[in-house]
Amino acid sequence: MDSKSIRKTFLNFFEEKSHKIVPSAPIVVQNDPTLMFTNAGMNQFKDFFLGNKVAESKRVADTQKCLRVSGKHNDLEEVGIDTYHHTMFEMLGNWSFGDYFKKEAIEWAWELLTGEFKLPKDRFYATIFEGDESENLDQDVEAKEFWLQFLPEDRVLNGSKKDNFWEMGDTGPCGPCSELHIDLRPQSEVDKIPGRDLVNQDHPQVVEVWNLVFIQYNRLANGTLENLPEKHVDTGMGFERLAMAIQGKQSNYDTDVFQPLIQWVAKKGGVEYGKDEKTDIAIRVISDHIRAIAFTIADGQLPSNNKAGYVIRRILRRAVRYGYTFLGFKEPFLHEMLDILVDQFDGVFPELTGQKDFIAKVIKEEELSFLRTLDNGLKKLDTITSGDSKTIEGSTAFELYDTYGFPIDLTALIARENGMEVDEAGFQKEMEVQKNRSKSAGKQTTGDWNVVHEGDETKFLGYTQTQATTNILRYREVKQKDKKQYQIVLEATPFYAESGGQVGDTGYLQIGEEKIEVVDTKKENDLIVHFVKKLPTNMQGEVKAVVNESKRRLTENNHSATHLLHAALRQVLGDHVQQKGSLVNEKILRFDFSHFAKMTEEEIAEVEKIVNQKIRENIALDEKQNVPIAEAQEMGAMALFGEKYGDFVRVITFDPQYSVELCGGTHVPRTGNIGMLKIVSEGSSAAGVRRIEAVTSVEAERFYQQKLDLIAELEEMLKHPKDLKKSVENLVKENLAAQKKLEQLNQQQAGQIKNQLKASVQKVGDKNLITYKGEFPSADNMKQVAFDLKREVDNLVLLIAADIESKPMLTVMLADELVKGGMNANEIIRKMASAIKGGGGGQPFYATAGGKDLSGLDEALKIGKEVVEGA
Ligand code: ATP
Ligand code: MG
């Protein structure tokens, strides 16, 4: 069975069991401080488990794009070395939100694997949670009983908390789990060692395929477990491992999921896969990493220097480096693999197909820049390895790592090739220092929520109101360094929480007479969290929540203007324009979008013209809430990627023919409110991404006013001419003419000096010495005079100590014959220059020097003469 059919069979199976099939959530997590990337299918349903939100459908199944390269689940170091851990993989999952529990989950898993997929029953092992005293938890006897329906007693194994108690992170929903492992070894080996001895022993052919998690608890920040109001099922099956089992392979990379990639890389590297462990690992690393890179970029995370962006950059560099070192790839190659990926995921993850060119461009630029740093790093290493030392210092290895992105193993490899060693302990020490530095800088401790009033969901009122009367639901303390802050959740709130680029509202909460300032509002999953510096004295009392309205209105102007801008950009530049980032606050709007060239002035003017036209049309806002995704798509809404199941989709339209967008932000009631838009800058923000900054309403007014003020000042300076432009033109013309005149005068003066000098030749032996101390109109004139004299006076030695606009300047000019005879203008000038506290140089026949001390001119000449007379 090919992998596409395997995926389909899984989804069909659960659809028939009344599950709703939902799309994968984006691989990049937004609005969750505890998680950067989706690491399991259950992430997007976290709020259903916690009871923060009610699921529309109690049974759900999907295939989820996962990434395990950071945080609690980090498989990066294994990837490529082993054959069954990936950075990005698909997790097939089925869920029950307070509906069915262990019995059905176990029975259906068995039915699907052995019935539908016909995997051999006698090759399966199930593990169950053995209990844990420190957590006060008993053995999962229920799960055991259900497995015993299908498996003999000796193939149902006890597992420890480490393997059989699943947690997504340090806090959050969790529970005991039961895993299915499959033994894929040939019979001859099975006869020698029973599979049960190899379960959970990191054997590449005895692997876990499916984990059934029974979510019952919430792990709190203080480490204790709290019972959840309802019991849930959360399962996750590795799609690539399932394909390996069904297709009778020994490695995930031998399945049709990976083979096209593997073969492409092998061919490009001119090697055969499966012949040499070293190149095999490199081929696997590359085939794996390109998937992680492509999907994260598709979901909106560009490689960058911090956080999620940096994780992606590091994965990309790891792939490039393996290619560079083991396959000899010295030119960008990863970006060429996109075609294969698009082909493979066609119809499964459309986000890849739609953005192929963009993703490829971003990857290629990253590759190029990393290959350049690699080159520089190698050069640096070259200078180190060519020295006498036999070790590379820890600090040097760290610098290579930190500034050039050289992993320690690469440095070690190159060192070994040069008969050197790396001080790895020293390197680790430097790493530790850096880690601690960033830890203490960013460390934030978050306390548990304290409940004031019962209730889980906050009602958001901010689309229609900026004030509301409500209650405090819960609060907690947050400490960063020594700064204490508090976070408050309200039962209902008019405060907009930062998201979709729009800044969070500020304002205040009033309880009785007490006013508490709200400094920011942010989202945590779907919770709206108000940031305050102190807690109200009376937590129980009624709260009046008041948003800073003028700031909000200005922000709305910019947000709606962003939509108008987006539509105009697509009209002027084309449909490839997609939003890649946005920031909207009360001052400016910043919009990042995919486009490959610098916008011309005409294009910018055209975009502004369209937007301002739409503003003047005073189009009314059309806001639709709770629109099903499919319907939104039909309406022509842009930005459909990045939505997750259960999000309420809100569609914002300004003229259905012009701008339709999915957006959770707040907007103007009519476009006329925006006043006007002015683009203030256009530039590049990343490979393939342009950035526009613009201002609207009062800020646009201010922008124009500043320009007008500037003109007024110029008019004032020019004594209010009738025609400002003409008058500036005249000024420029007059200035040019004056300069020309001055230059003529200078030349005349220089000519006079020259004649005077020519007449002042002194004989020093056979040399004709000319010296001059005095003013010179310009350095150019001095040079001219020196060269003229060289031509006109034989055996010339010319020493000039000049005052040019009150700065000391020296010149030495020597006849060619004298240079041949051993004299050197450089040497003379260096000695002379010390007298004017300066320095200079030039060629053996002609040298100049500048300095700081005008009073040293006489002394300089004296020194010069002595040298000449001594020569
Ligand atoms: P393992 O112990 O093999 O690392 P796990 O316990 O980390 O697995 P879970 O967190 O239970 O795995 O994830 C559910 C399923 O997802 C696993 O049974 C496995 O099939 C698959 N899986 C987990 N991690 C990876 C990975 N890095 N690459 C591919 N598949 C994975
Ligand atoms: Mg794991």
Side-chain angles (χ1 to χ4, degrees):
M1 197 187 274
D2 68 15
S3 57
K4 279 196 174 160
S5 315
I6 294 173
R7 193 190 284 114
K8 221 193 206 114
T9 306
F10 174 89
L11 296 175
N12 286 348
F13 178 85
F14 283 103
E15 192 165 27
E16 272 166 27
K17 305 230 181 290
S18 311
H19 286 63
K20 186 175 163 67
I21 308 303
V22 305
S24 170
I27 204 162
V28 184
V29 176
Q30 258 138 32
N31 302 327
D32 189 341
T34 65
L35 211 59
M36 270 198 261
F37 302 104
T38 298
N39 66 13
M42 56 81 70
N43 296 167
Q44 68 163 318
F45 307 122
K46 199 166 125 178
D47 280 338
F48 300 156
F49 298 129
L50 291 174
N52 288 343
K53 218 167 148 186
V54 180
E56 216 177 282
S57 173
K58 281 178 174 262
R59 297 180 181 191
V60 160
D62 72 5
T63 175
Q64 171 66 48
K65 299 173 281 184
C66 293
L67 193 62
R68 291 194 170 182
V69 290
S70 58
K72 185 174 170 71
H73 294 275
N74 185 348
D75 293 335
L76 186 59
E77 291 311 315
E78 268 78 51
V79 172
I81 317 286
D82 82 11
T83 50
Y84 60 106
H85 279 97
H86 304 295
T87 54
M88 182 266 166
F89 65 99
E90 282 179 71
M91 197 184 279
L92 303 169
N94 58 293
W95 285 273
S96 148
F97 306 122
D99 190 37
Y100 62 84
F101 204 45
K102 296 180 187 175
K103 179 176 188 309
E104 293 84 348
I106 290 174
E107 287 177 4
W108 290 340
W110 189 255
E111 182 186 338
L112 177 66
L113 291 178
T114 61
E116 290 281 328
F117 290 130
K118 309 240 168 351
L119 287 166
K121 293 180 180 167
D122 60 351
R123 290 300 187 101
F124 278 108
Y125 294 86
T127 62
I128 56 132
F129 180 51
E130 65 185 3
D132 188 280
E133 241 173 69
S134 66
E135 302 272 11
N136 210 3
L137 296 171
D138 292 333
Q139 189 199 32
D140 192 350
V141 277
E142 272 177 324
K144 184 168 180 177
E145 287 306 315
F146 294 127
W147 282 122
L148 288 176
Q149 297 177 81
F150 311 114
L151 291 165
E153 186 117 31
D154 67 339
R155 282 200 276 128
V156 180
L157 313 173
N158 264 329
S160 66
K161 185 174 129 188
K162 176 179 148 282
D163 286 318
N164 283 75
F165 194 88
W166 200 89
E167 309 195 45
M168 61 173 264
D170 292 337
T171 58
C174 54
C177 64
S178 190
E179 308 159 342
L180 268 173
H181 295 252
I182 190 163
D183 185 351
L184 300 169
R185 295 171 303 156
Q187 191 58 44
S188 55
E189 281 185 42
V190 175
D191 293 340
K192 274 185 242 156
I193 308 170
R196 57 172 293 146
D197 294 347
L198 299 174
V199 167
N200 272 332
Q201 300 300 319
D202 299 328
H203 191 289
Q205 273 92 48
V206 184
V207 295
E208 176 192 329
V209 281
W210 204 344
N211 195 354
L212 315 177
V213 187
F214 310 117
I215 298 218
Q216 290 173 259
Y217 307 106
N218 182 23
R219 173 80 67 191
L220 299 176
N222 66 10
T224 58
L225 295 174
E226 160 191 88
N227 273 313
L228 289 174
E230 284 187 292
K231 290 175 178 160
H232 317 274
V233 169
D234 151 36
T235 86
M237 172 153 60
F239 169 64
E240 301 77 11
R241 292 188 193 175
L242 177 66
M244 156 167 79
I246 293 174
Q247 295 176 3
K249 306 291 186 195
Q250 306 278 296
S251 152
N252 285 2
Y253 297 95
D254 292 341
T255 65
D256 66 342
V257 180
F258 282 98
Q259 271 300 303
L261 296 166
I262 293 274
Q263 293 309 333
W264 187 91
V265 181
K267 185 163 170 229
K268 178 136 188 125
V271 296
E272 204 177 319
Y273 181 68
K275 290 281 180 258
D276 171 13
E277 185 64 7
K278 257 199 198 152
T279 49
D280 282 358
I281 289 175
I283 294 170
R284 290 200 290 264
V285 164
I286 292 165
S287 303
D288 173 275
H289 288 12
I290 182 64
R291 297 167 23 117
I293 299 160
F295 274 106
T296 41
I297 295 175
D299 280 345
Q301 182 60 60
L302 297 175
S304 73
N305 254 344
N306 53 48
K307 295 195 185 149
Y310 191 53
V311 176
I312 296 315
R313 176 164 281 172
R314 272 181 17 226
I315 295 176
L316 187 142
R317 291 180 167 188
R318 193 169 187 259
V320 172
R321 207 243 316 158
Y322 269 93
Y324 189 95
T325 314
F326 299 104
L327 298 166
F329 295 162
K330 307 283 185 240
E331 299 290 326
F333 62 96
L334 282 170
H335 66 105
E336 292 173 17
M337 299 172 78
L338 225 64
D339 283 327
I340 306 176
L341 277 187
V342 164
D343 208 36
Q344 270 187 318
F345 290 107
D346 197 30
V348 185
F349 299 120
E351 58 273 30
L352 221 49
T353 320
Q355 302 179 81
K356 191 184 107 186
D357 293 342
F358 170 72
I359 299 169
K361 166 105 180 169
V362 171
I363 294 177
K364 188 174 174 186
E365 290 294 323
E366 275 289 310
E367 288 189 85
L368 277 171
S369 90
F370 182 53
L371 284 167
R372 269 197 301 271
T373 13
L374 257 186
D375 254 7
N376 290 338
L378 284 174
K379 274 186 205 130
K380 172 149 181 99
L381 250 179
D382 248 7
T383 59
I384 298 166
T385 50
S386 60
D388 294 336
S389 170
K390 285 279 148 226
T391 42
I392 294 178
E393 306 278 317
S395 57
T396 314
F398 182 76
E399 187 197 339
L400 282 165
Y401 163 83
D402 205 36
T403 28
Y404 299 99
F406 266 51
I408 183 73
D409 52 343
L410 180 64
T411 307
L413 185 84
I414 295 169
R416 236 175 301 148
E417 282 167 1
N418 287 282
M420 297 176 75
E421 272 182 6
V422 179
D423 172 13
E424 295 210 21
F427 171 81
Q428 293 304 345
K429 221 158 100 196
E430 298 273 346
M431 282 288 274
E432 214 41 49
V433 172
Q434 193 197 39
K435 247 189 224 151
N436 290 337
R437 213 181 300 134
S438 56
K439 229 192 233 159
S440 58
K443 196 166 162 66
Q444 172 176 319
T445 46
T446 310
D448 286 323
W449 288 112
N450 302 292
V451 174
V452 180
H453 288 101
E454 285 300 328
D456 289 315
E457 236 164 315
T458 303
K459 214 169 144 125
F460 177 60
L461 308 169
Y463 292 139
T464 49
Q465 317 166 206
T466 51
Q467 296 198 7
T469 308
T470 180
N471 282 305
I472 295 178
L473 286 186
R474 38 178 148 153
Y475 69 92
R476 71 180 173 193
E477 189 185 294
V478 182
K479 242 195 264 171
Q480 183 144 29
K481 277 195 178 161
D482 296 324
K483 232 176 72 195
K484 230 194 245 176
Q485 264 203 348
Y486 299 90
Q487 302 182 342
I488 292 181
V489 177
L490 300 173
E491 192 175 345
T493 184
F495 282 78
Y496 181 80
E498 174 185 326
S499 60
Q502 183 177 335
V503 289
D505 277 331
T506 55
Y508 63 88
L509 306 178
Q510 184 164 0
I511 302 104
E513 290 300 299
E514 193 180 21
K515 266 190 188 179
I516 305 279
E517 193 194 354
V518 175
V519 293
D520 203 355
T521 312
K522 288 188 188 207
K523 256 191 191 181
E524 185 167 320
N525 302 303
D526 290 310
L527 274 188
I528 297 172
V529 183
H530 306 77
F531 288 62
V532 294
K533 289 199 180 120
K534 60 173 190 164
L535 289 173
T537 350
N538 172 9
M539 301 290 293
Q540 299 291 333
E542 196 177 73
V543 178
K544 196 170 143 205
V546 182
V547 169
N548 176 338
E549 182 157 349
S550 69
K551 177 182 159 190
R552 161 75 88 77
R553 296 293 169 236
L554 291 169
T555 307
E556 285 174 354
N557 287 340
N558 282 336
H559 200 156
S560 300
T562 303
H563 285 209
L564 302 184
L565 176 71
H566 188 184
L569 284 167
R570 287 170 72 96
Q571 264 190 24
V572 173
L573 303 176
D575 281 348
H576 63 278
V577 168
Q578 279 204 8
Q579 175 167 344
K580 286 293 158 206
S582 127
L583 170 75
V584 175
N585 61 30
E586 70 276 23
K587 293 252 184 270
I588 60 155
L589 67 91
R590 200 170 74 197
F591 189 69
D592 293 351
F593 57 100
S594 44
H595 181 58
F596 294 140
K598 179 162 182 55
M599 284 178 74
T600 63
E601 278 181 27
E602 292 74 28
E603 284 167 343
I604 293 175
E606 180 65 17
V607 166
E608 274 178 350
K609 199 174 120 195
I610 295 173
V611 173
N612 283 317
Q613 169 67 29
K614 291 294 166 188
I615 291 173
R616 283 192 302 275
E617 281 173 24
N618 202 20
I619 306 164
L621 164 72
D622 176 10
E623 178 219 34
K624 289 199 175 64
Q625 296 197 5
N626 294 315
V627 183
I629 297 236
E631 205 174 294
Q633 220 153 5
E634 268 163 40
M635 294 167 72
M638 291 186 272
L640 286 169
F641 304 133
E643 293 305 314
K644 58 181 188 183
Y645 170 72
D647 269 359
F648 72 99
V649 184
R650 182 162 168 268
V651 183
I652 295 297
T653 305
F654 290 107
D655 177 355
Q657 304 306 315
Y658 183 70
S659 163
V660 185
E661 290 202 43
L662 293 192
C663 177
T666 65
H667 287 275
V668 295
R670 287 188 159 270
T671 57
N673 290 36
I674 301 168
M676 65 181 144
L677 170 130
K678 174 73 194 144
I679 293 176
V680 293
S681 74
E682 190 273 348
S684 156
S685 104
V689 181
R690 306 297 302 175
R691 166 170 294 176
I692 278 183
E693 289 186 330
V695 287
T696 67
S697 63
V698 288
E699 289 298 329
E701 243 172 65
R702 201 192 313 273
F703 180 87
Y704 284 112
Q705 192 56 50
Q706 275 171 359
K707 299 276 171 206
L708 290 175
D709 288 349
L710 179 66
I711 293 173
E713 278 168 39
L714 292 178
E715 281 175 334
E716 172 92 36
M717 279 160 76
L718 296 174
K719 309 260 179 305
H720 301 282
K722 265 210 204 84
D723 183 339
L724 178 64
K725 189 175 160 207
K726 187 109 211 181
S727 143
V728 172
E729 273 168 8
N730 285 343
L731 212 59
V732 172
K733 242 191 248 160
E734 280 167 27
N735 189 33
L736 270 178
Q739 269 178 12
K740 228 182 188 163
K741 185 100 198 198
L742 180 66
E743 182 52 28
Q744 275 170 5
L745 286 172
N746 283 348
Q747 273 178 16
Q748 269 176 27
Q749 198 188 343
Q752 280 163 10
I753 296 175
K754 190 194 84 179
N755 290 337
Q756 177 196 332
L757 291 183
K758 220 171 143 180
S760 73
V761 173
Q762 296 164 258
K763 278 275 175 196
V764 179
D766 59 347
K767 304 181 194 86
N768 287 319
L769 172 66
I770 298 178
T771 60
Y772 173 75
K773 189 211 138 197
E775 290 190 7
F776 242 109
S778 79
D780 274 349
N781 291 138
M782 180 164 69
K783 182 175 178 185
Q784 186 64 46
V785 168
F787 276 85
D788 285 350
L789 285 174
K790 178 170 184 252
R791 233 179 296 113
E792 294 168 24
V793 180
D794 290 338
N795 266 3
L796 172 73
V797 174
L798 172 68
L799 307 176
I800 301 179
D803 167 350
I804 299 175
E805 287 176 344
S806 299
K807 289 216 177 66
M809 272 287 272
L810 308 176
T811 293
V812 175
M813 176 65 89
L814 302 176
D816 294 336
E817 304 81 64
L818 296 178
V819 173
K820 271 184 213 137
M823 283 182 78
N824 191 331
N826 274 313
E827 274 166 30
I828 303 173
I829 203 102
R830 223 170 292 135
K831 286 180 183 147
M832 290 170 71
S834 65
I836 56 163
K837 297 208 173 72
Q843 301 163 63
F845 76 96
Y846 168 68
T848 58
K852 284 193 230 90
D853 187 3
L854 200 58
S855 68
L857 288 179
D858 281 322
E859 177 65 17
L861 261 194
K862 196 172 140 229
I863 296 173
K865 266 191 217 159
E866 280 165 12
V867 177
V868 176
E869 279 157 4

